[in-house]
Amino acid sequence: LGSKLVSSLCVPERRLQEDSKYVPVSISPGRFERVVLFDDLLVLIQGNDFHSFDLKLVWVDTVPAEKSAPTSHSLRIITPEEEFLISSKEPQHKAIWQWKLNKVIRQRLDEKRDFPLWGKSEEGLDPSASRFSTYTFKSECRFKNAIYEGDFSWGKPHGKGTLKWPNGQNYVGDFKEGLEDGFGICLIPHSSEDGYDCYKCHWREGKMQGYGICEYSNETVYKGYFKDNLRHGFGILKTPVSTEHSFKYTGHWDNDKKMGYGIWDDIESGQRYIGMWQNDQKHGAGIVVTQSGACYQGTFLMDKITGTGILISEDDSVFEGKFTEQLKIDGKDPEEFKTAS
């Protein structure tokens, strides 16, 4: 090894276990020319540069003969962000590397230094596919720069774990094959506010799916269903009473918009709209009930009253006709009407 590699890799407590210089293997893709196995690291070397993998997060899988080149015998090496093949022309060389890799990985996981003898038959010497460890993602992906601590299986977060990003975002919950899947809690900070959005939801394949509760930094709360990270299905959205134009919406959503049947309560004015929605607007048949007890039944088009409607005032007077937004008919003003927004 060159002086640079010696200074980086050779430390008193580290022991060399195998070297492709003595038991020849090649790497595919072919970015590296030499493979060195220590008791804690697998190292790929090209000139004076190297790439190392902590053996706690290395998995070894045999490539079936029918999927290998006719004159090649290969092992698939799996890590959290990379996969590559170690191949040899001789089957015995593959067997040596497979045996030593698995045994050293098991030693690393068990934090033991004793190395079993070649050919010694012992039960359960192959390392477990399920492991608990910590890893920082480096490649360009959704998890870039995030630190994951939790369960792994075959190179991917799988089981219970925690993801933490440098900006303060974090996720705690279930994972499946490298993605959030199951129940999890996600905190997303707001740079413009001193607060977080908190999502307590069910997840599938990395996205919010099914029922969840979201507490936003402005104290607005949503309780309902999600699809692909968007409000979708039945849900209740309520803003805090202290905010201007506070409201509560109870009804159906489609792609994060109020859609279908829903009830809007204007908390400030006491007015309620019961009816149909489309793209966040009152659209279709609807009923408006005011705090004073007046009731209007009619049709809405893009948040505006349209067509003929019926107004029952608080003294039980009935008016039928075409109404303006302020519920004026024939020049009379039976009821001032503030539409929900």
Side-chain angles (χ1 to χ4, degrees), residues 211-216 219-226 231-239 247-253 258 261-265 267 272:
Y211 183 77
I213 298 175
C214 297
E215 300 167 344
Y216 300 97
E219 298 183 7
T220 296
V221 177
Y222 173 78
K223 298 180 181 180
Y225 289 84
F226 288 85
R231 294 187 283 257
H232 191 93
F234 179 80
I236 300 171
L237 182 68
K238 184 177 181 180
T239 61
F247 66 87
K248 177 183 177 181
Y249 173 79
T250 305
H252 288 271
W253 300 78
K258 293 180 282 292
Y261 179 77
I263 300 172
W264 174 284
D265 290 298
I267 298 173
R272 168 176 283 191

Side-chain angles (χ1 to χ4, degrees), residues 131-183:
R131 306 170 192 177
F132 182 91
S133 193
T134 302
Y135 182 80
T136 302
F137 288 89
K138 305 174 183 66
S139 63
E140 292 292 338
C141 66
R142 191 161 57 91
F143 294 163
K144 184 179 180 181
N145 297 325
I147 300 173
Y148 174 78
E149 182 178 22
D151 299 324
F152 282 88
S153 181
W154 292 104
K156 298 181 183 297
H158 189 90
K160 303 290 185 181
T162 301
L163 272 171
K164 294 182 179 180
W165 282 263
N167 66 352
Q169 178 179 339
N170 68 75
Y171 169 89
V172 180
D174 298 323
F175 290 82
K176 182 179 179 181
E177 297 180 357
L179 296 172
E180 303 95 321
D181 199 296
F183 181 77

